[in-house]
Amino acid sequence: MSAEKVGKVAVIGAGTMGHQISLCCALAGLETFCIDVSAEQLEKAEAFVKKYLPEGVSRGRFTEEEAAAAKQRLRFTTSLEEGAGEADFVIEAIVEKLEPKKELFRRLDEICPPQAILTTNSSFFVSSLLAPETGRPDRVCNMHFFNPALVMNCVEVVQGPHTSPETAAVVLALVRRLGKEPMLLHKEIYGFLVNRILRRILDEALFLFETGVASAEDIDSAVVNALGHRIGPFALMDLIGIDLSYHVAMERYRDSNDPADKPSPTVVEKYVKGEWGRKKGRGFYSYGK
Ligand SMILES: NC(=O)c1ccc[n+]([C@@H]2O[C@H](COP(=O)([O-])OP(=O)(O)OC[C@H]3O[C@@H](n4cnc5c(N)ncnc54)[C@H](O)[C@@H]3O)[C@@H](O)[C@H]2O)c1
């Protein structure tokens, strides 16, 4: 199947990532189903779309006609059969836990048309953990969007040893159809490109802070003003959530058993105190209410 033949997309999970990925697909002209086990999440996703589209029109991002067409193309359902039964292309964006993802891929393999491509938006699980759950490993791949998906204009595509070159080509072309830049990884590796590079930056920033070399504010200022990043590492940790940094590091440590992979003392302290960043009103910075 070529990317032009992809007409129907199923996005599974309507959380932080899924609701925006669904809207990206609908805006790009794809018939899209946004699927979630939670009707409440789907209601929130639908409410977001109703607010986002008129705002996008008034900001000149797209025309009124384009917004109306995208709204028509995007449907919401709790039924996997209804949403994925005719899909050419699936983007899984459910909770970051391996067993539910495996179970979902088994069900998708039964429900979806045999030619459909099944991708995962997982931040850390490579698709070779999921491909054996299906009878179509050659059509399974990672497709990793960034948060917020409607704003971030790049997507990592990770080709596993099981992924056929044709599948990788369709995924890359679909990323371009969504108006985003694909970055292809020829090999599976934990954390892909961006999270691996980011980890080095965050670890070094935490080292400089913890050893008293400079304040969080000055380290952020150095990264923004001298390196030209849009946001400094401490402000970024507050944005992503220090709880997430903690869990990701713990997961890495459990996997490797290497003490160097443990969350840094500052991250542990902030995690225990509940100072998780913006979502809690306090992290490395204070955000009021
Ligand atoms: N949050 C981020 O910044 C980010 C960035 C890139 C990638 N990711 C990845 O995207 C995926 C989703 O992350 P998120 O932050 O959107 O999670 P989230 O917790 O906000 O949303 C997950 C959604 O999946 C639904 N769900 C759970 N099990 C389901 C099932 N079996 N079928 C259908 N729906 C189900 C939940 O009800 C929830 O609405 C994860 O794999 C994560 O690693 C997250």
Side-chain angles (χ1 to χ4, degrees), residues 12-13 15-17 36-38 41 93-96 101 121-123 144-145 147:
I12 310 177
T16 308
M17 297 303 292
D36 202 292
V37 284
S38 155
Q41 279 291 76
I94 69 165
V95 59
E96 185 72 344
K101 285 190 194 281
N121 180 49
S122 172
S123 300
H144 182 228
F145 290 77
N147 183 9

Side-chain angles (χ1 to χ4, degrees), residues 92 98 101-102 105 120 126-134 140:
E92 171 274 310
L98 190 55
K101 285 190 194 281
K102 281 186 173 177
F105 271 68
T120 174
V126 289
S127 75
S128 56
L129 294 168
L130 304 170
E133 305 301 319
T134 75
V140 177

